[in-house]
């Protein structure tokens, strides 16, 4: 039995799960999305992801045609229909079918899509070895152009950065903001460790407020570590003792090289590894 995809209240076999070529999600990237993980039947930080989806939608004046509770039920039912316990959930809301032309107000109905599948962003060995990152030329969207807090379907800013980092032979791209401060990566938030303190760019650096980022801050503070949300420059990254990334798909992953320079010894650091362990325990725990 193949994968079933939810569209507007109905489940379709994967091959028949389709949207119109006139959907403004396709024509203009007019829509929002979320990526959520389900561990052994437990949906990790479900309410936080649902809240962020509704905030993203409100920010672009897109109404989600369901209450949060109804949407959560729809997600659970889709998981059930697919008999999935460990899964990656992609929620997508598009503006729907409209005319050619930007005007979103002639669109006739939002498309609400739930895909439950698997995702492996990085190969397993990178969690032990660490990955190499590259500071890309493309800057993160200015918050008054398209606020990075909005998880919109228009990810070209991030895709351009991804192309640049792949062309440079690196695995992930680090993006600076218009002032030259570190913002985030193409699909992850960034942390460094310096003199046993943890630093991450503040939300006003123009970043997606990552749910995994919040979990990392909580885990670190609970363990008695100092976490500072401070503006960081390229220099701060180069002289860091440790560096790691956080995201729903990636979890926590060490960074050992930036722009071809080793971060400290060029091996994953002990703070990073202890947080990675805590994160794995947490996701395992909540699935018991
Ligand atoms: N920054 C950006 C730009 C993201 O897209 C994160 C940070 C991390 O946020 P969370 O809430 O996940 O901790 C993201 C999330 C993909 C993919 O398909 C990307 C994300 C999530 C899931 C899948 O590459 N990005």
């Amino acid at each position: 039995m193949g994968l079933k995809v939810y569209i507007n209240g109905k489940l379709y076999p994967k091959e028949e799960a389709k949207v119109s070529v006139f959907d403004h999600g396709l024509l203009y990237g007019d829509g929002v999305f979320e990526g959520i993980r389900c561990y052994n039947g437990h949906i990790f930080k479900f309410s936080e992801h649902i809240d962020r989806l509704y905030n993203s939608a409100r920010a672009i004046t897109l109404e989600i045609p369901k209450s949060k509770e109804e949407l959560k039920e729809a997600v659970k039912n889709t998981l059930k229909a697919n008999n999935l316990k460990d899964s990656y959930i992609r929620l997508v809301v598009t503006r729907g079918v409209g005319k050619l032309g930007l005007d979103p107000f002639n669109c006739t109905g939002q498309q609400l899509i739930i895909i439950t599948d698997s995702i492996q962003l990085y190969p397993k060995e990178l969690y032990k070895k660490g990955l190499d990152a590259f500071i890309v030329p493309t800057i993160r969207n200015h918050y008054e152009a398209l606020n990075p807090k909005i998880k919109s379907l228009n990810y070209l800013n991030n895709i351009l950065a991804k192309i640049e980092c792949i062309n440079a032979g690196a695995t992930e791209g680090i993006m600076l903001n218009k002032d030259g401060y570190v913002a985030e990566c193409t699909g992850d938030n960034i942390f460094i460790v310096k003199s046993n303190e943890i630093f991450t760019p503040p939300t006003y650096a123009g970043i997606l407020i990552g749910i995994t980022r919040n979990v990392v801050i909580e885990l670190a503070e609970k363990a008695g570590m100092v976490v500072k949300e401070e503006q960081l420059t390229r220099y701060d990254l180069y002289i860091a003792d440790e560096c790691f990334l956080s995201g729903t798909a990636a979890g926590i992953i060490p960074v050992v090289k930036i722009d071809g320079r080793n971060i400290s010894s060029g091996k994953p650091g002990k703070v990073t590894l202890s947080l990675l362990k805590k994160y794995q325990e947490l996701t395992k725990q909540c699935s018991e």
Side-chain angles (χ1 to χ4, degrees):
M1 227 177 37
L3 188 75
K4 291 193 199 82
V5 177
Y6 172 106
I7 307 176
N8 292 336
K10 275 200 197 149
L11 288 167
Y12 297 86
K14 182 180 172 179
E15 299 74 24
E16 288 162 36
K18 291 174 183 166
V19 291
S20 163
V21 293
F22 290 99
D23 193 302
H24 278 209
L26 173 72
L27 289 174
Y28 302 113
D30 188 355
V32 294
F33 77 105
E34 268 304 317
I36 316 174
R37 288 291 277 269
C38 180
Y39 299 100
N40 193 25
H42 182 98
I43 304 170
F44 189 62
K45 301 285 170 193
F46 199 10
S47 297
E48 286 83 346
H49 282 284
I50 295 293
D51 286 347
R52 189 170 66 185
L53 182 74
Y54 277 75
N55 286 338
S56 292
R58 263 182 89 178
I60 67 161
T61 70
L62 177 66
E63 201 182 317
I64 297 179
K66 272 194 181 308
S67 70
K68 289 184 182 178
E69 279 317 308
E70 285 167 345
L71 179 55
K72 280 179 151 181
E73 274 311 301
V75 170
K76 286 182 194 161
N77 289 338
T78 308
L79 282 170
K80 241 186 239 156
N82 283 297
N83 206 9
L84 284 169
K85 291 216 137 119
D86 288 287
S87 165
Y88 173 77
I89 303 158
R90 173 63 56 93
L91 280 173
V92 183
V93 190
T94 76
R95 189 78 67 179
V97 170
K99 296 185 183 135
L100 293 181
L102 289 180
D103 186 353
F105 297 108
N106 65 43
C107 292
T108 51
Q110 307 87 325
Q111 299 290 302
L112 174 56
I113 299 161
I114 307 170
I115 308 168
T116 51
D117 206 344
S118 58
I119 193 167
Q120 171 88 48
L121 213 52
Y122 301 120
K124 258 195 175 145
E125 79 257 17
L126 285 190
Y127 289 83
K128 288 197 184 113
K129 280 194 338 202
L131 60 76
D132 60 329
F134 174 69
I135 305 176
V136 298
T138 292
I139 61 162
R140 190 73 177 105
N141 280 331
H142 188 287
Y143 61 89
E144 288 297 2
L146 175 55
N147 199 313
K149 281 181 183 163
I150 304 169
K151 208 160 162 62
S152 87
L153 290 183
N154 196 317
Y155 248 50
L156 266 181
N157 182 225
N158 313 56
I159 288 165
L160 290 176
K162 194 78 187 178
I163 290 169
E164 289 161 358
C165 95
I166 291 168
N167 284 347
T171 307
E172 182 53 305
I174 299 170
M175 304 180 80
L176 308 179
N177 65 20
K178 65 145 178 44
D179 298 315
Y181 290 110
V182 177
E184 59 181 333
C185 294
T186 67
D188 308 298
N189 291 111
I190 185 164
F191 290 80
I192 59 166
V193 181
K194 183 72 180 171
S195 307
N196 282 319
E197 292 182 330
I198 299 171
F199 296 85
T200 195
T203 57
Y204 60 80
I207 59 172
L208 183 78
I209 306 174
I211 287 160
T212 320
R213 173 185 181 275
N214 291 344
V215 171
V216 168
I217 293 172
E218 244 179 68
L219 284 175
E221 286 179 342
K222 238 191 222 161
M225 298 180 217
V226 177
V227 184
K228 293 181 171 164
E229 295 182 52
E230 274 181 22
Q231 308 232 58
L232 302 172
T233 61
R234 184 193 293 272
Y235 163 86
D236 296 311
L237 301 186
Y238 290 163
I239 64 154
D241 298 331
E242 302 181 25
C243 180
F244 64 90
L245 312 180
S246 73
T248 293
I252 294 176
I253 186 154
V255 176
V256 290
K257 217 174 233 205
I258 298 176
D259 295 352
R261 296 160 176 246
N262 276 347
I263 298 306
S264 193
S265 65
K267 295 211 171 73
K270 59 179 195 311
V271 174
T272 302
L273 292 176
S274 90
L275 285 168
L276 175 53
K277 193 158 161 251
K278 285 184 201 307
Y279 185 76
Q280 283 167 343
E281 277 163 8
L282 182 69
T283 54
K284 208 174 141 223
Q285 231 175 56
C286 73
S287 68
E288 281 167 1

